[in-house]
Amino acid sequence: MSYLAVIGDICGSREIPERGELQIKLKEVLDELNLLHAKALASPFTITLGDEFQAVLSKAIPLWEMIAMIQSRLFPVKVRFGVGLGRIDTPINDKVALGMDGPAFHRARDAVDVLKREGGLYRVEGLAQGELANHSLALVSHLQGQWQHNRFEVYRLHLAGHPVRGIAKATAISKSAVYKNIADGLLGTLAGIASAISTSLDDALVKERHGN
């Protein structure tokens, strides 16, 4: 059975002065995601080390929305994400994302290792169109390096399909400011990239599960 293994790694965690506060924020957002996206999570987001966490997804559609929520909640701290497509050879642990192994996890770990060496925040491994996806994700990482917190939050809500009025209310900024964030940040284009990669991942999951 094929899944998506996701490994998150906090950037520069050893240099963060308030690590205890960061851990609390991380646990809170992961717990919230586990409730909001329980149907997509074969194994829930789980902190595995002080600066790492992981999960197993059965489908990719909410992947980038979840990642955007983590980046928004932990801002200005950044997190790199490695996503591995492939088999899980051990039984799925639906309580915590521990004690599992297989190519999906190996590829997610390889993705994180590449990001540590080469920079960037997002990488997928195991996808046939992986080169195109990863060049696109490198562009997303570069653009997001200039963002303030409001833009991450607007992007998260935009990915989730909220209308401009709803985004304005949730972020306590004006509708014109929401439109400006969407335009200046190319958020529609970035959402299109996220959607295209999620669709490719889900198509690959279906093919692998049917042995094609």
Side-chain angles (χ1 to χ4, degrees):
M1 189 77 169
S2 293
Y3 295 90
L4 298 175
V6 179
I7 296 177
D9 176 58
I10 296 173
C11 301
S13 61
R14 294 181 181 179
E15 286 74 45
I16 297 170
E18 300 296 335
R19 294 188 67 183
E21 182 180 341
L22 176 63
Q23 285 291 307
I24 292 171
K25 287 182 179 179
L26 177 60
K27 186 177 186 307
E28 287 176 348
V29 67
L30 297 184
D31 287 346
E32 187 172 348
L33 287 172
N34 288 337
L35 289 174
L36 288 173
H37 298 285
K39 291 182 179 179
L41 288 164
S43 185
F45 280 103
T46 303
I47 298 173
T48 55
L49 298 169
D51 55 359
E52 281 195 2
F53 54 92
Q54 62 190 32
V56 177
L57 277 67
S58 57
K59 57 184 179 180
I61 291 301
L63 172 63
W64 304 107
E65 180 187 338
M66 291 190 287
I67 285 174
M69 184 169 173
I70 293 169
Q71 299 285 34
S72 176
R73 293 291 179 83
L74 299 188
F75 185 88
V77 174
K78 291 183 172 62
V79 183
R80 58 176 72 90
F81 289 89
V83 181
L85 169 69
R87 299 189 321 274
I88 303 291
D89 292 333
T90 53
I92 294 293
N93 186 337
D94 62 1
K95 305 300 182 185
V96 291
L98 297 171
M100 294 173 288
D101 196 18
F105 275 108
H106 302 164
R107 290 167 181 164
R109 174 57 60 191
D110 288 344
V112 170
D113 290 343
V114 170
L115 293 172
K116 286 181 177 180
R117 291 195 308 269
E118 300 181 3
L121 297 176
Y122 316 112
R123 186 173 180 84
V124 297
E125 294 288 352
L127 190 62
Q129 309 93 329
E131 185 174 355
L132 176 58
N134 286 320
H135 282 307
S136 300
L137 291 172
L139 177 60
V140 174
S141 297
H142 175 73
L143 292 173
Q144 288 185 344
Q146 312 302 317
W147 288 8
Q148 297 301 314
H149 179 250
N150 267 351
R151 188 157 294 172
F152 273 106
E153 192 64 3
V154 170
Y155 181 56
R156 175 184 77 82
L157 295 166
H158 184 62
L159 282 176
H162 291 270
V164 168
R165 178 178 294 180
I167 296 173
K169 183 176 181 180
T171 56
I173 62 177
S174 68
K175 289 192 292 183
S176 61
V178 174
Y179 281 117
K180 182 173 175 56
N181 270 282
I182 291 173
D184 291 353
L186 301 175
L187 302 192
T189 299
L190 299 192
I193 289 172
S195 177
I197 294 173
S198 291
T199 297
S200 295
L201 288 168
D202 275 336
D203 288 347
L205 285 171
V206 170
K207 288 179 181 178
E208 290 198 13
R209 288 168 184 172
H210 289 81
N212 296 328

